[in-house]
Each structure stands twice: as structure tokens, then as C-alpha cells.
Amino acid sequence: MPSSDTVHIIGAGLAGLAAAVRLSAQGRRIVVHEATGQPGGRCRSYYDHVTGMVIDNGTHLLLSGNHAAMSYLKAIGAGHLLEGPPSAEFEFIDLPTAQRWTVRFNDGQIPWWIFDKSRRVPQTRVRDYLPLMRLMWTSADKPLSELMRCEGPLYERLLEPLFLAALNIEPLHGSGKLAGRIIRETLALGGQACRPLIAPGGIGDAFVAPALRTLREQGVEMTLQHPLHALVFDGDRVAGLDFGEETVSLGEGDRVILAVPAYAATVMVPGLSAPTAFRGIVNAHFRVDPPARAPRMIGVVNGTTEWIFALPGRVAVTVSDAGDLIDMPRAELAQTIWNEVAKVLGLSDTLPPWQIVRERRATFAATPEENAKRPQPVTRWRNLVLAGDWTDTGLPATIEGAVRSGHRAAELVAGEARSKKAA
Ligand SMILES: Cc1cc2nc3c(=O)[nH]c(=O)nc-3n(C[C@H](O)[C@H](O)[C@H](O)COP(=O)(O)OP(=O)(O)OC[C@H]3O[C@@H](n4cnc5c(N)ncnc54)[C@H](O)[C@@H]3O)c2cc1C
């Protein structure tokens, strides 16, 4: 590709940003077009006037084995902005009984923790863990409930909360193939791949602002509030980008990476197979100083609350596959969640300043049916590549999946340029 050729990236979520960062080092013209006034997409922070705090649309959890996300953070100089314990530990509480337990994975790949009563899930036996081996290599995609026994202490006290968080769907209905992949990329690699990492200073400061700085330094153009209305097709290529008031004509060497959500892509790309069902996530934010001894992160079993994050000057709660909670009156929901938080952290029942963030289409529904609809990045138009957490990454809709899809799209565009040069 001659250096004057342009790569247009549509959508400045993490997939689009990751693609732009990957390509930016290669000295070609890149223009990112974002529909809204703020890059980051589903991974963003903003100032909330009600609580007087900068909050995340959702506290995003990564695992140390998310290698694409780590390499993206490294490329934008932000690796140090994630924090987590030195080894993989997950603390849980059963809300009705207040029983607490901590699962402690050992660092290496041989899972000694399963053989150690003080590290594994209480009331479990070594043989309870064997079905996980089968799940890792399952080939046909079926609901998890058809592939393993979804009951008992191991399931209820570790696997259910883990799969619910990662798949954002009631795990019984979740894709067994995606669940198996999660195990393969985390537990099977040992504790050093499972350290939980969060951005205590906010996801905007960790994942977005440093990327924008990097892209600016590399001369990448970023146009905000510039929604693409339609792709203009001509035979086997995209010939133009229709932004409503203007249409940008594409030259022979120009390329397009479409990194918008599935529901936006299906409107623009004829005949595109993509997930059409989605699941919501609710986050609650409370302006309060957590007790000094509060765990940074604790999983809650048998409550409305699923994960509590104790951060400087605030407490955040995540509820995945939030279903009916999305439409519950906000004040009632805040009080319900706060009552649980107060119980777990030993705080007063008095509701502190709060905010509820409801993301109705947080992720595609990770069922076998929806998973089967995910497309490959290459399309039948030779200059159009797809990216996004909903494309066929083999992973659930996560930061890791979004970044991998962005990298893959960038490599497809760059690889094609390399082979042209060599010819
Ligand atoms: C509340 C919540 C909590 C989450 N928690 C976690 C977590 O703990 N761990 C984890 O790994 N993942 C988590 N995720 C998932 C993660 O945020 C997403 O997988 C990831 O951000 C998706 O990035 P993306 O670039 O694929 O899509 P998006 O972020 O949706 O980006 C698409 C971009 O395209 C733009 N766009 C749309 N239409 C147009 C158009 N016509 N023209 C131009 N631009 C357009 C959008 O405005 C957006 O900026 C969470 C998601 C949510 C919502």
C-alpha cells in the first residue's frame, strides 16, 4: 500500500483503538471516525455530577493472562495503570450465611491448588474438578448445562460466578465452547495467568486516554461526532463512506476497518451474520470510603450484588446479565445493592451518594446460537475488514476479545500491504 493510501477505522471502541495503535507505527494515513463525542465505546469513564466523581460505565476486570490487552496497554505506555495482587486469589462471601472463602491458585501450570484443601473451594473434592478438563476441549457448542453438572459447591462457589462474569449470561444457558475457552486461557495456564487486574484510577485513564495520546503523537486523525451512515459498495469493494453531509470517496488502495457494535454493523453490511441478542450489565457506584481492611474485590454469592470493588473514596458493584434489574426503579436498586454492600463491608445502612449505570446491550448473549452467528473479519469486499468483540474471536465479549479483533484487522490490512510490496 503506498503511504498516501488511507485506512479508515469506523468506531473508536477498544477494537478500533487497538487497530489504530497497531497500524500507527507503520507510517500510513489513518483516520478514526467515532459517532459519539467520546472515544472508548463500552469501556469509558466520565464525570458524574450526582456523586461528584469520575466513574466507569462498568468496572472492567482483566486477568493477567489477557495477553493481547496487556500488549495493547504496553504499546500505549499504560501497563502500570492496572493493579492486582501478586498471586491469583479470589475472595468470596455467601450473603445469607456470611461464610467467606478464598480460592488461591498456585503460580505454575500444574494445579496444585486443587489438591490443597486450604486453597481450593471449600467442601469440594479433587475429582469434582475433572469435568473442567473435558469442558476445555469440547468441540460441539452446547449450553453449559448439557456439558457439565451445574450444581454443587465447585459450581456454586467458583464456576458460576466466574462464568457469569466472563460470559455475561446465566451460565446454564451459556456457550460451553466459550466457557471451555475461558478455562483454557486462564485456570489451565496457572495462577500467573489468573491474577485479577483492575484500573483503580478509571478505565478511561488506563485504556483510552493513553491510546489517544499515542495516536496523536503518531499523526493519526481522530474525528469525533462523525457517525458513518452507510458504506457505499461498488462490485467487490467499498467505494465510499457516507457520513450524511459528506461522502468520502475511497481510492483503490484505501481500506476500511469497521469496528462498530454488531447491531450497527448489520445495518451497514448486507447479508452480515452477527449476534442479534444482547445482555445487560448494571453497575452501582457509591461515594464512600471503604474500610481500610476491605478486600479490593470480593465475589458475592446468593445476592443481587455479584462483585464489589473497594476503591479509593468509592465502592463499585457489578451485576452481570442484569435482566429485570435494568428496569427496576433506580433508587430502589441502589438501596437494595447498598444494603448488601453494607453487610459485606461492615458499613452503615445509610445510603451514600450513588449512581446507577445501566448498559442494556453490554455484550452479545453468549449462547451457542449467538456464538455461531459471529463472522470472520474478512468480508466479500476486498477493502473491508470487520473488528469488534462480537466478531469470531473465540472469546466472549471482553476487552481481550475486542483488542484481539482490532489487532487481527490491523494485521490483515498490514499483511496485504506487505505482500503487495514484496510482489
Ligand atoms: C458495563 C460493562 C462492563 C464490562 N465489563 C467487562 C470486564 O469486566 N472485562 C472485560 O474484559 N470486558 C468487559 N466488558 C466488555 C467490554 O467493554 C467490551 O467487550 C469492549 O469494550 C468492546 O469494544 P469494541 O470496540 O468491540 O466495541 P464498542 O466499545 O461498542 O465500540 C464501538 C464504537 O463504535 C462507535 N460507533 C457505533 N456506530 C458508529 C457509526 N455509525 N459510526 C462511527 N462510530 C460508530 C461506538 O460509539 C463505539 O465507540 C464490559 C462491558 C460493559 C458495557
Side-chain angles (χ1 to χ4, degrees), residues 11 13-15 33-35 41-42 60-61 228 259 261 268 388-389 398-399:
L14 291 186
H33 308 269
E34 165 56 40
R42 278 170 282 154
H60 279 60
L61 178 75
L228 181 71
M268 293 187 214
D389 62 357
T398 51
I399 288 183

Side-chain angles (χ1 to χ4, degrees), residues 32 58 100 107 135 190 208 210 240 280 286 381 403:
V32 182
R100 289 173 186 255
D107 280 355
L135 185 63
V208 185
F286 302 100
W381 294 277
V403 171

